[in-house]
Amino acid sequence: MVLPVPGILKSSPFIRRHPANPILDADRVPYPTALVFNAGVTKFNGQYVMVFRNDYGSRSEQTLEPHSTTDLGIAYSRDGIHWEAGPKPCFKMNDGEIIRAYDPRLTVMDGRCYMCFAVDTQHGIRGGIAVTDDFENFEVLSLSTPDLRNMVLFPEKIDGKYVRLERPFTVYSRGGADRFDTWISDSPDLKYWGNSDLLLAVEHVPFANDKIGPAAPPIKTEIGWLTTFHAVDIDPARGKNGWEPTWKKRYTAGLMLLDLHNPKKVIGMYQEPLLAPEASYEIDGGFRNDVIFPGGMILEPSGEVKIYYGAADAVVCLATAHVDDLVQLCLKA
């Protein structure tokens, strides 16, 4: 089934982009990098922590170095707005079979920080989970079989098990490339995963016609697990829209609410994008324009929700909203 191409998409009126955006870009990283984006963000040991993706190359020439140069950087903040990047990258994987690790997602559980990430290998894309206490030493707990990506962990066990969202690459059975959905699995130990079920399919999202998948790790509310996802629409009429010769896709952020005790149950979904590309740093000058990809979401004691997202595959940005408004968006008929 081919879905129609969505037209003009707008962000929710409850969303506020921070005036300091982008809050982190390559110019504020103290080592040479071309693109800084798709960061995982959390609160850990009394401060905000960001692990961000570095892609190396030349911004002036709009070229990238080989994938094997990609690594992850670290940044810290006292207020979640103003960030200071560390003096060097904090995580890299490259051993001949593994080409690179990228797109980190952070979840704190029981006083430790767990990081989901994607791994390109010579034989497919794998999803990894690592744990760290200091962002200098990481223990890799598991790597999935190919092809799996966009994994995020829930911040606590549910019914005695760890739970994660994920996006398998079901190319053959879904009738061709870019027909991917959001799945959910559980584990007794973060190493062995199963009981997998489809959670949300691309045809369930009115503003997607290409693929969907997890975004930031869910946050817990009194009503349910507030959960972002990325949604992609493709239009063959789109031409060059970034560094790439042709870029025909648009990434938006969606929002859904999952049952607290049975997160395999979607109890509500906002029928429009939570965030759609509109700001200058989202639609122009990036590696891939018209791209929004949430990687971190923090619920503050005041009820404010900080949503950190990659924009145009080039910079890290921040948007905010009140948790009650976000929940009501999901429950809106």
Side-chain angles (χ1 to χ4, degrees):
M1 179 178 64
V2 178
L3 300 178
V5 177
I8 296 174
L9 298 177
K10 296 292 185 180
S11 303
S12 163
F14 293 118
I15 280 286
R16 296 173 294 278
R17 289 168 171 83
H18 200 279
N21 279 345
I23 58 170
L24 190 68
D25 56 24
D27 290 337
R28 284 173 275 186
V29 175
Y31 44 86
T33 183
L35 305 174
V36 171
F37 63 112
N38 286 9
V41 185
T42 192
K43 276 184 173 179
F44 188 68
N45 290 343
Q47 63 182 333
Y48 296 83
V49 181
M50 176 191 298
V51 177
F52 55 89
R53 169 176 168 174
N54 288 309
D55 280 31
Y56 295 89
S58 170
R59 281 173 294 162
S60 61
E61 298 177 5
Q62 295 189 346
T63 57
L64 291 180
E65 294 179 6
H67 285 349
S68 58
T69 64
T70 298
D71 57 30
L72 304 183
I74 184 77
Y76 298 96
S77 173
R78 292 295 180 186
D79 59 7
I81 301 168
H82 304 91
W83 293 85
E84 182 176 353
K88 61 182 181 179
C90 66
F91 188 84
K92 183 180 179 70
M93 295 183 76
N94 177 247
D95 64 3
E97 168 60 21
I98 294 176
I99 299 169
R100 63 172 177 173
Y102 57 102
D103 288 0
R105 306 286 179 261
L106 303 180
T107 300
V108 175
M109 287 187 287
D110 300 324
R112 309 193 76 191
C113 189
Y114 294 84
M115 182 176 76
C116 294
F117 54 95
V119 180
D120 284 351
T121 79
Q122 300 291 349
H123 298 89
I125 298 176
R126 305 174 70 181
I129 300 175
V131 64
T132 184
D133 299 307
D134 55 13
F135 298 96
E136 295 181 2
N137 303 285
F138 291 82
E139 178 189 359
V140 177
L141 301 176
S142 65
L143 289 173
S144 74
T145 57
D147 278 315
L148 195 66
R149 191 177 168 187
N150 298 126
M151 300 187 332
V152 299
L153 289 173
F154 283 70
E156 63 184 56
K157 289 182 179 180
I158 302 173
D159 198 22
K161 293 182 178 180
Y162 299 98
V163 182
R164 77 181 182 196
L165 305 179
E166 57 204 19
R167 193 191 74 185
F169 284 72
T170 48
V171 174
Y172 180 78
S173 63
R174 291 288 274 153
D178 279 6
R179 193 68 180 167
F180 312 134
D181 313 292
T182 299
W183 286 66
I184 185 169
S185 300
D186 62 41
S187 169
D189 56 7
L190 293 170
K191 296 183 180 181
Y192 302 101
W193 292 86
N195 297 319
S196 303
D197 283 299
L198 176 68
L199 179 67
L200 189 71
V202 63
E203 60 265 27
H204 299 152
V205 180
F207 46 94
N209 70 359
D210 185 49
K211 58 184 175 181
I212 64 166
I219 59 175
K220 191 176 186 179
T221 74
E222 294 181 355
I223 306 299
W225 293 103
L226 196 61
T227 306
T228 54
F229 58 91
H230 67 272
V232 184
D233 70 270
I234 187 168
D235 184 350
R238 293 178 185 141
K240 182 173 173 60
N241 192 22
W243 297 14
E244 290 189 325
T246 59
W247 175 244
K248 303 179 186 301
K249 299 177 183 179
R250 172 176 53 184
Y251 276 65
T252 57
L255 189 71
M256 60 182 168
L257 197 63
L258 307 180
D259 187 85
L260 283 177
H261 306 291
N262 178 18
K264 293 184 176 183
K265 179 181 179 182
V266 179
I267 60 178
M269 187 188 78
Y270 184 39
Q271 296 296 305
E272 301 175 35
L274 178 67
L275 268 170
E278 295 167 312
S280 60
Y281 44 81
E282 299 162 355
I283 63 175
D284 188 35
F287 176 63
R288 291 170 172 165
N289 295 326
D290 294 331
V291 171
I292 284 178
F293 203 116
M297 187 163 55
I298 295 174
L299 175 58
E300 303 288 10
S302 65
E304 179 188 62
V305 177
K306 288 185 170 72
I307 301 172
Y308 297 89
Y309 64 98
D313 277 3
V315 295
V316 180
C317 298
L318 170 64
T320 61
H322 195 278
V323 64
D324 293 342
D325 292 332
L326 296 180
V327 168
Q328 287 306 309
L329 285 178
C330 294
L331 298 178
K332 183 179 178 181

